[in-house]
Amino acid sequence: MTRRLDQAQAQCAARGAQLTALRREVLELLLLRQGSAKAYDLQDDMRVRHGRVAPTTVYRALEFLMEQQLVHRVDSLNSFVVCNLDPGPHDHHHDHTMMLVCSRCGQVTEVHDDPATEAIRRALHVDAPGFHATGIEIKGVCGACQAAAA
Ligand SMILES: [Zn+2]
Ligand SMILES: [Zn+2]
């Protein structure tokens, strides 16, 4: 955990951004929730640790973490996930990321598959001229939920 947070801090520093103690803590809380949570869950966690916390505090920290590509928003669940790429100097093109979202348990898997997302983008370009896709979320049922139902 500490190593992961240190890596995130180094990644921010390399980009001239500062992972403050507060931002680092929000990232830690998200990791503690298996990497996926809604903003108000994180706010509850903050309240447990610090008492009263302004709602904007958590949102601002999440916004920063999203700018740094350490965290992504999952629109279909209205939640946030930790990026599954190791923080590092790589260029993370989030436009080329797909989110597989389980509609039963809410598990989110980030898939980095350039050819697949490229194919979808190309199709969109033909079918919906002028539409610029910025993220792809695919709804379905994860393996664990399928096994539980069988
Ligand atoms: Zn990512
Ligand atoms: Zn599931």
Side-chain angles (χ1 to χ4, degrees):
M1 170 69 83
T2 305
R3 195 186 62 92
R4 183 116 193 227
L5 291 169
D6 286 345
Q7 279 179 335
Q9 197 148 7
Q11 180 183 331
C12 290
R15 292 176 181 171
Q18 207 193 340
L19 189 69
T20 59
L22 177 80
R23 291 161 171 171
R24 186 180 162 116
E25 184 166 18
V26 171
L27 180 60
E28 181 194 358
L29 291 171
L30 191 52
L31 285 164
L32 287 172
R33 284 189 176 261
Q34 321 304 336
S36 170
K38 293 182 194 280
Y40 60 73
D41 292 328
L42 298 172
Q43 197 153 342
D44 280 347
D45 294 345
M46 285 293 273
R47 206 174 294 130
V48 169
R49 287 185 175 191
H50 303 287
R52 213 155 57 87
V53 175
T56 47
T57 308
V58 170
Y59 277 107
R60 279 209 210 103
L62 284 170
E63 250 156 49
F64 171 85
L65 294 169
M66 285 193 290
E67 268 166 37
Q68 298 301 315
Q69 305 273 28
L70 292 165
V71 166
H72 306 308
R73 187 204 300 277
V74 184
D75 290 325
S76 53
L77 295 176
N78 192 23
S79 69
F80 299 87
V81 294
V82 178
C83 179
N84 68 353
L85 282 182
D86 259 348
H90 61 258
D91 217 2
H92 182 18
H93 295 292
H94 191 234
D95 281 8
H96 290 252
T97 297
M98 276 189 290
M99 297 287 182
L100 307 185
V101 181
C102 177
S103 44
R104 295 210 185 136
C105 69
Q107 190 196 277
V108 179
T109 308
E110 185 177 345
V111 178
H112 302 271
D113 185 334
D114 286 357
T117 51
E118 206 36 64
I120 292 169
R121 276 162 186 288
R122 213 171 304 122
L124 274 177
H125 194 67
V126 174
D127 295 338
F131 183 80
H132 174 70
T134 52
I136 299 165
E137 293 180 14
I138 295 171
K139 291 183 203 168
V141 179
C142 77
C145 287
Q146 287 176 54

